Amino acid sequence: MLRVRDSISRHSTVLDGVWNFKVDWDNNGLENNWAAAPLVDPITMPVPASYNDITVDTKIHDHVGYVFYERTAFAPLYGDDRLILHFGSVTHEGVVFVNGTEVARHTGGYLPFEADITDYVNPGEEFRLTVAVDNRLSWQTIPPGLVTKDDSGNDKQIYWHDFYNYAGIHRSVTLYTRPAVHVSDVTITTGIDGADGTVTYDVVAEGAASVKVRVLDASGQEVAAAEGAHGEVRVENADFWAPGHGAMYGLEITADGDVYVQPFGIRTVEVSKGQFLINGKPFYFRGYGRHEDNNTVGKGHSDALMIHDYEIMKWQGANSFRTSHYPYAEEEMDYADEQGFVVIDETPAVGINMGIGGGIAGAQGYTTFSPDTVNDATREVHAQVIRDLIARDKNHPSVVIWSIANEPESDTDASYDYFKPLAAVAREADPTRPISYTNVMMAPADKDKIAELFDVVMLNRYFGWYLDTGNLQDAEKHLREELDKWVKRLPDHPIIFTEYGPDTMEGNSDFFRRPWSEEFQIDNIGMFHRVFDDYANVVGEQMWNFADFQTTPGIMRVGGNKKGMFTRDRKPKPNAYVVRDRWLAMKEKLGF
Ligand code: BDP
């Protein structure tokens, strides 16, 4: 789905702000047609934001099921155009009503959806917009979850991922006009030929009598042009997109009366002989797995928080991150392009693993893949999420790997049967980028059954923390033994460490450098780095996590997960300075 962008033929109004809000305590607001009239006795709620931490009402914070959002908006005088509502994300299900009539229903909390509301409003008149938002997860959602009852009869949401189930309207809501005949999709792939860039484009504009394209450079000058919905153009002496160099072009598409400018960068990505190549040169990933997570707004997108995080990442010498464990806001992806950050783009398929020990992720006792748990229907949803993510993010030069799942079960025949078709779905949707998944500790090289389906080995490892707790000598030994096995099994696969590091309590300083202390984080992360430096196939280090973040309460979590390089409010832990020295030295040496 195309990102909303204004042009001579498209005009948008952002509907963010203070909306009305009401919790549907009995989860019967849809049956009782709440959307038919203004909400009775609503409270106020900011959009975008998770609603959970805005009030200090435990019942709202813990509610399982529907909440309703509402506001009014003006329909502009849109003439013969269509009027579209765009939601960046509604977590996890959104049912959208205009003046009481349902116009869209979308499940999947981290990807955009739209509704054409032209036929439900009158130009120049106000209309009522109501959105019912459901935070429940089931075996057939991605990520999966399960609603049960506690012994007191209250609904309880179980899930198998280690971050809080924030809900609400998390990203901007936009109302925009576009011509009836319009550009609905474009796929751009690029190549490098000496000093020139080759740009292959494929536009979808149903019903358009003519399609023309122009490539515009950063200053808006035309550098190439062509006619027709498909084709290839050459950009002479191109400014290539590269890590640390966010050189962007725009493909201006004119389809009859519609004009849409799609940003893109010219670069190549390839895996070869155990290396990860960007523009033909070996790239080493430095960075983190991150979360969209904040004290007040939860998973709500904020440009201020986003830019602050990038400033911190740049201060530290990072050049990349993974969108653990779901697609991030479209604003994030644009910003990564412009800032020259390299992104491992992940689907929301997290927690497809009932083998992960209780405590980290909560209740267990299920079989991962079975007709009653993660089944064929779940796999269909998973396949669609892969397609939708790739459809949204395919034109971002920053995105270099699709991560189709985080720590799934991967050591059983059932997991092979589950992932074989999904790897094919990803390759079909994007034949140009390497694909991968993050491998869990319990499925090392001699147990994992799916690594050959993918191009890059991505490892989440907690030696010295969950295993060999506090014993870094053993931890190092076991880490090296495991790496040796991966290199032996897949000598031509590059390896990226996509998670490592211990929980670290800010201010907990310890002469004996024990687990949870700031000193232990330095020692544990330092041990991993020492090992990485000895393996040519290790082409990246993305520690867990950029910052501390909220989780479900549990005996392994103190006010959330504390594995951050930075605290939840972005203060550096002592380790941040140590890693900064390493990364800045690497940046100096490698030039990015
Ligand atoms: C891994 C998960 C991640 C967790 C992390 C941890 O991929 O989401 O937060 O471990 O335990 O299992 O901190």
Side-chain angles (χ1 to χ4, degrees), residues 162 325 360 406-407 460 462 466 499 544 549 557 561 563:
D162 182 37
H325 296 306
I360 305 176
N406 179 71
E407 295 193 347
N460 294 356
Y462 289 97
Y466 293 123
E499 288 187 24
W544 193 248
F549 59 92
R557 298 286 176 258
N561 188 309
K563 294 192 185 68

Side-chain angles (χ1 to χ4, degrees), residues 391-572:
R392 192 193 74 162
D393 289 351
K394 62 189 169 187
N395 294 319
H396 288 287
S398 55
V399 174
V400 300
I401 298 174
W402 302 113
S403 168
I404 73 165
N406 179 71
E407 295 193 347
E409 178 176 305
S410 64
D411 56 353
T412 54
D413 292 339
S415 61
Y416 183 82
D417 294 344
Y418 182 87
F419 278 103
K420 189 165 187 262
L422 291 181
V425 164
R427 286 196 196 285
E428 196 193 327
D430 182 2
T432 72
R433 286 178 179 87
I435 61 168
S436 192
Y437 68 100
T438 70
N439 169 283
V440 69
M441 266 193 111
M442 286 91 72
D446 48 6
K447 293 212 176 86
D448 172 276
K449 298 199 174 184
I450 68 171
E452 277 75 9
L453 297 170
F454 300 89
D455 307 303
V456 181
V457 174
M458 302 204 301
L459 301 177
N460 294 356
R461 290 297 179 273
Y462 289 97
F463 293 107
W465 184 247
Y466 293 123
L467 291 186
D468 304 321
T469 313
N471 182 343
L472 290 182
Q473 213 179 343
D474 278 7
E476 179 165 347
K477 184 168 175 287
H478 294 143
L479 174 59
R480 286 182 189 274
E481 281 167 6
E482 201 201 325
L483 260 174
D484 290 339
K485 286 188 193 157
W486 279 111
V487 174
K488 194 158 172 243
R489 173 171 163 185
L490 294 162
D492 288 334
H493 274 50
I495 299 171
I496 301 170
F497 276 79
T498 36
E499 288 187 24
Y500 57 100
D503 280 272
T504 304
M505 199 68 190
E506 172 197 9
N508 178 28
S509 178
D510 183 0
F511 273 124
F512 307 107
R513 311 181 78 89
R514 288 167 294 190
W516 284 99
S517 70
E518 292 175 329
E519 289 80 1
F520 185 72
Q521 189 179 38
I522 293 173
D523 294 351
N524 181 279
I525 295 266
M527 179 278 284
F528 273 91
H529 289 169
R530 184 164 64 239
V531 174
F532 298 165
D533 291 345
D534 287 345
Y535 286 82
N537 283 49
V538 173
V539 301
E541 51 193 59
Q542 293 189 333
M543 67 151 314
W544 193 248
N545 184 287
F546 172 66
D548 295 344
F549 59 92
Q550 195 51 271
T551 63
T552 46
I555 49 169
M556 312 261 282
R557 298 286 176 258
V558 188
N561 188 309
K562 297 284 190 237
K563 294 192 185 68
M565 181 87 81
F566 301 89
T567 62
R568 200 176 185 210
D569 55 358
R570 279 40 177 176
K571 287 186 288 191

